[in-house]
Structures are given as C-alpha cells and as structure tokens.
C-alpha cells in the first residue's frame, strides 16, 4: 500500500529555531506539493515540484521558508527562523504530472512554535 | 482567478439520512473539480473528480457529485450516511491559468446516531 510519509508528525519548537520537515513521496510520482493548513487560512499551497525542479513557490514566504528535493525520494521544507505564526499543519502530497491530477496526501506535520 | 466557496462550515445529519454538501466555483472555462475528505488527524483523500463528460460523477465510499455549469456548482451527495463518514470535506478547483489546485474552506460533517 503506497503512501506518502512525513516526519516528524509533531514538532514543538521555540521561536527563532530552525525547523525541517521531511516528506517521502510515493515511488514513481514526479510531482510533490507542500501545503499549510490553518484554521484562519485553510489549505494553502506553499510550493510544488515536478521532476525535482521547483515549478511554483509563490505561496511561500521567501525570507524564512525554503523547499528542496535533494533526490526523488525526499522533499524537505525548512523554516529558519521559525515564528509563532508558522504554527500550522504542513502537508506533503505527491502525484503524477501536475496539480490537475489526483494528489496523495501524507498525514501531515503539526508544528507548534512557542 | 479561480475560487471555491463552500457555504456550509458545519453540518450535522443523522445516520442513515441523505447528505448534500454544497460547492460553488468561479472559473471562466470548464474547470477540473474535486472533492477530498479529511478524517481527524489525517491527510486528505480524493473522493471523486470531474474533468469532462458525464456531469454525474461516482466516487468512492458511495459518494457522487453533479456538475452544473449553469449554477457553477459541484455538490457532493450520499443517499445514506454512515457514522464513519464524519470528517471534513473539501471541494477544490483546478484552473489551467494558475496551474494550481485551489481548495474551499471545508465543511465539517458530524453524524448523529
């Protein structure tokens, strides 16, 4: 049963610390998405990659967030420095070809910044 | 730009009753439309999608949705709700111009015994 995995599932950190979230997409999927979910803003697309290349990161605060795909089996989302307003659930999703096709979501990383 | 509106934030139905969740979209051309479900503490799972063709779409778990262009709607239905259907439901629209999937704010479904 192929699934998207995300680590850690929960992260509590202090303001100013670096946070790294990791995602393993489903093998064979060439598109990876990062979303942020909050009560106030709902689900927001932060960035997405196709064939490991960033195609759109317009939803991501550039000054503190960065997203990379070091290889086809790993996507990372980093926040440095973290702020309390970054507290949210961060989802990774993977799929084939693009956003118009089905996206398979991981279980999310719940981030709390104090 | 495309957008999605889910007018009902929270709905409660009795087990065995029928269900309809509303979704309205805004997009200049024929959109790609989706319904996803999110169980507590989980990621989203695709229920069904509409790209073209038959406007009544069947999905998993006994759900269906009907695309109505004249009303810019894509409402989700289920004839008989089960307690396990309690979850949050998201409608989403893909528009080629932005090349993004835009999600609605979600409808939280509670099921009474």
């Amino acid at each position: 049963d192929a699934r998207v995995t995300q680590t850690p599932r929960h992260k509590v950190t202090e303001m100013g610390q670096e946070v790294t979230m990791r995602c393993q997409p489903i093998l064979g999927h060439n598109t990876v998405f990062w979303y942020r979910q909050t009560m106030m803003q709902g689900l927001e697309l932060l960035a997405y990659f196709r064939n490991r290349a960033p195609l759109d990161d317009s939803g991501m605060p550039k000054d503190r967030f960065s997203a990379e795909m070091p290889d086809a089996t790993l996507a990372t989302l980093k926040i440095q420095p973290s702020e309390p307003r970054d507290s949210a659930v961060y989802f990774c999703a993977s799929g084939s070809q693009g956003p118009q096709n089905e996206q398979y979501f991981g279980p999310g990383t719940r981030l709390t910044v104090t | 730009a495309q957008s999605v509106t889910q007018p009902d934030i929270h709905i409660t139905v009795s087990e065995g009753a029928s269900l309809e969740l509303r979704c309205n979209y805004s997009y200049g051309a024929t959109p790609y439309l989706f319904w996803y479900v999110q169980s507590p503490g989980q990621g989203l799972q695709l229920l069904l999608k509409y790209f073209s063709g038959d406007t009544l779409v069947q999905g998993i778990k006994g759900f269906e949705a009907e695309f109505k262009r004249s009303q810019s709607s894509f409402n989700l239905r289920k004839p008989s709700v089960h307690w396990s259907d309690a979850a949050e439901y998201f409608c989403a629209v893909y528009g080629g111009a932005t090349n993004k999937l835009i999600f609605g704010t979600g409808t939280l479904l509670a099921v009474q015994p």
Side-chain angles (χ1 to χ4, degrees):
Chain A
D1 185 21
R3 297 186 183 192
V4 175
T5 58
Q6 290 185 248
T7 56
R9 292 293 311 276
H10 301 273
K11 176 72 175 180
V12 180
T13 192
E14 292 182 347
M15 182 173 62
Q17 297 299 305
E18 177 178 300
V19 175
T20 299
M21 291 169 270
R22 294 177 175 80
C23 167
Q24 183 172 5
I26 292 173
L27 191 63
H29 283 182
N30 68 344
T31 311
V32 173
F33 307 86
W34 282 105
Y35 290 92
R36 176 170 62 184
Q37 186 178 39
T38 61
M39 290 292 293
M40 294 301 295
Q41 300 297 326
L43 265 167
E44 305 172 277
L45 178 68
L46 296 175
Y48 83 91
F49 294 75
R50 185 180 297 172
N51 297 324
R52 296 175 54 202
L55 286 194
D56 188 335
D57 61 0
S58 59
M60 205 163 63
K62 302 292 191 304
D63 56 338
R64 299 183 299 108
F65 284 60
S66 62
E68 295 179 343
M69 280 201 74
D71 60 61
T73 65
L74 177 64
T76 62
L77 180 66
K78 290 186 181 180
I79 308 174
Q80 169 62 20
S82 58
E83 297 181 2
R85 59 179 167 153
D86 301 329
S87 298
V89 181
Y90 292 81
F91 288 103
C92 173
S94 70
S96 299
Q97 300 308 321
Q100 72 276 22
N101 294 322
E102 179 174 2
Q103 297 180 28
Y104 296 79
F105 283 75
T109 295
R110 181 174 294 277
L111 174 65
T112 303
V113 184
T114 60
Chain B
Q2 71 265 32
S3 65
V4 180
T5 301
Q6 293 181 250
D8 303 307
I9 296 173
H10 186 260
I11 284 182
T12 300
V13 299
S14 298
E15 190 167 16
S18 64
L19 171 70
E20 183 168 23
L21 302 182
R22 296 184 290 166
C23 172
N24 292 98
Y25 69 90
S26 173
Y27 186 62
T30 300
Y32 291 12
L33 294 161
F34 305 78
W35 275 100
Y36 280 82
V37 61
Q38 184 180 25
S39 298
Q42 301 297 315
L44 280 70
Q45 180 186 22
L46 181 69
L47 283 176
L48 48 78
K49 60 188 177 186
Y50 171 79
F51 286 177
S52 64
D54 193 346
T55 56
L56 186 61
V57 181
Q58 302 297 321
I60 62 171
K61 305 185 182 188
F63 285 91
E64 67 179 26
E66 187 171 11
F67 171 61
K68 292 185 177 180
R69 184 190 302 275
S70 62
Q71 299 177 19
S72 297
S73 69
F74 188 57
N75 294 348
L76 182 71
R77 302 193 294 245
K78 187 168 184 178
S80 177
V81 170
H82 188 262
W83 63 266
S84 61
D85 294 324
E88 191 156 20
Y89 292 80
F90 293 90
C91 182
V93 60
Y94 169 80
T98 61
N99 199 28
K100 290 181 181 180
L101 188 62
I102 304 298
F103 287 88
T105 51
T107 297
L108 185 62
L109 174 67
V111 180
Q112 286 181 337

